[in-house]
Amino acid sequence: APFIMAGIKAGARSFLLVPSTPTSPPLATGWALKVVQSNSQADQIFIIDRLIRSMVRILLVKLSAIGDVIHCLPAAARLKQILPDCQLHWLVEAPASPILLGNPVVDKVIILPKKEWKAGLKQFYKPSAVLPAMASIAEFINGLKQNQYDLAIDAQGLLKSALLARYSGAKKVVGFAGTREFAERFLTDALDIGDYFGGSRHIVDLNIELAEFGAKVAGVTAAGIEHHTVVCFPLPEPGLEERQRVEQTLALPGSSTA
């Protein structure tokens, strides 16, 4: 971060994070940076690590299908556990988006308009159809870049997901090594877990490991990533309509709440 580099060049020994005030420059999550003198290297490491955690903007790319998106929820929860102040955006296709809209670990859901793009590009012989589709793609990519991501995580392992992660403009793009369609070539950092298609480990565990790998690439120290034993599948709070539908289903003959 430029604030850290400026402090180091000025000869400061460490940094102190304090809540933002009208007279202090705000950071991404409402913290301000003040340079102080200290001889404690441990304080330097802790405070700089805390600053990194509060500033990170992450794009998680898991487009489909619904089951695969569910399998990636623990990775999002793990990212929020390691980086509780980060901004986590999820790029997904429309069919799986209800799982993420209102989800407590996702700050923003970005829906990929794949169906509209595909319909326009299929009519490549009609400029009136293909040109608007191409303009829409360019506008979408530009919108991703405006979010200024520090990290993009391709959890899909396909060419389309790797390209979207890369074209998001993120400073670092991570994903699995050895996936399909040469997707690895578009990553800045690849996580080698052996045979990705071997099936020796559950995909949920692999996704969590990828989240931890991404956090390290983003600058979080290994000491700051605590060992986890609980796998969480966070879901959005059901609305009134969903609750009523469940209650009606349970009230049917033969249904049981046991």
Side-chain angles (χ1 to χ4, degrees):
F3 288 110
I4 294 177
M5 293 306 295
I8 292 174
K9 289 178 180 178
R13 298 282 183 180
S14 69
F15 302 88
L16 176 66
L17 287 173
V18 296
S20 294
T21 66
T23 58
S24 61
L27 295 179
T29 55
W31 290 85
L33 186 66
K34 181 183 290 185
V35 179
V36 296
Q37 292 294 326
S38 171
N39 293 319
S40 171
Q41 186 176 10
D43 286 347
Q44 293 182 46
I45 294 173
F46 171 78
I47 295 171
I48 291 175
D49 184 64
R50 181 66 181 81
L51 177 59
I52 291 171
R53 289 166 183 253
S54 69
M55 295 179 67
V56 175
R57 288 175 171 265
I58 302 173
L59 177 65
L60 179 58
V61 183
K62 189 70 169 182
L63 303 172
S64 62
I66 294 176
D68 293 334
V69 170
I70 292 173
H71 282 158
C72 203
L73 287 173
R78 184 65 174 140
L79 284 168
K80 278 293 189 177
Q81 183 183 29
I82 299 171
L83 298 157
D85 298 322
C86 76
Q87 278 288 310
L88 179 58
H89 298 182
W90 193 315
L91 180 57
V92 68
E93 293 175 10
S97 62
I99 302 169
L100 305 176
L101 294 168
N103 195 298
V105 299
V106 181
D107 296 294
K108 183 178 181 180
V109 179
I110 303 173
I111 299 177
L112 185 76
K114 175 185 173 181
K115 187 176 181 180
E116 292 81 356
W117 291 354
K118 191 173 181 180
L121 294 175
K122 281 177 67 175
Q123 303 181 67
F124 60 89
Y125 52 87
K126 291 184 178 179
S128 60
V130 72
L131 291 178
M134 294 176 65
S136 176
I137 293 172
E139 182 180 3
F140 186 86
I141 295 298
N142 186 55
L144 290 179
K145 291 180 178 179
Q146 289 180 0
N147 289 319
Q148 298 182 326
Y149 294 114
D150 300 287
L151 173 70
I153 300 176
D154 172 22
Q156 194 87 39
L158 296 174
L159 178 61
K160 63 180 180 180
S161 57
L163 284 172
L164 287 165
R166 186 71 175 189
Y167 289 151
S168 71
K171 300 168 186 173
K172 294 288 185 178
V173 181
V174 304
F176 293 110
T179 52
R180 297 186 178 96
E181 303 172 347
F182 304 103
E184 182 182 347
R185 295 188 178 184
F186 296 93
L187 308 176
T188 62
D189 299 83
L191 173 62
D192 189 354
I193 46 89
D195 184 2
Y196 179 77
F197 300 102
S200 60
R201 297 175 59 192
H202 198 282
I203 188 61
V204 169
D205 294 322
L206 297 182
N207 287 337
I208 291 174
E209 185 174 347
L210 181 62
E212 295 175 342
F213 177 73
K216 292 176 183 177
V217 170
V220 178
T221 60
I225 300 179
E226 299 176 357
H227 178 69
H228 79 98
T229 56
V230 178
V231 176
C232 300
F233 288 83
L235 293 171
E237 186 72 20
L240 178 61
E241 183 179 345
E242 287 79 11
R243 291 178 182 273
Q244 290 175 342
R245 189 181 301 121
V246 170
E247 291 172 359
Q248 292 170 1
T249 301
L250 294 177
L252 294 173
S255 299
S256 173
T257 58

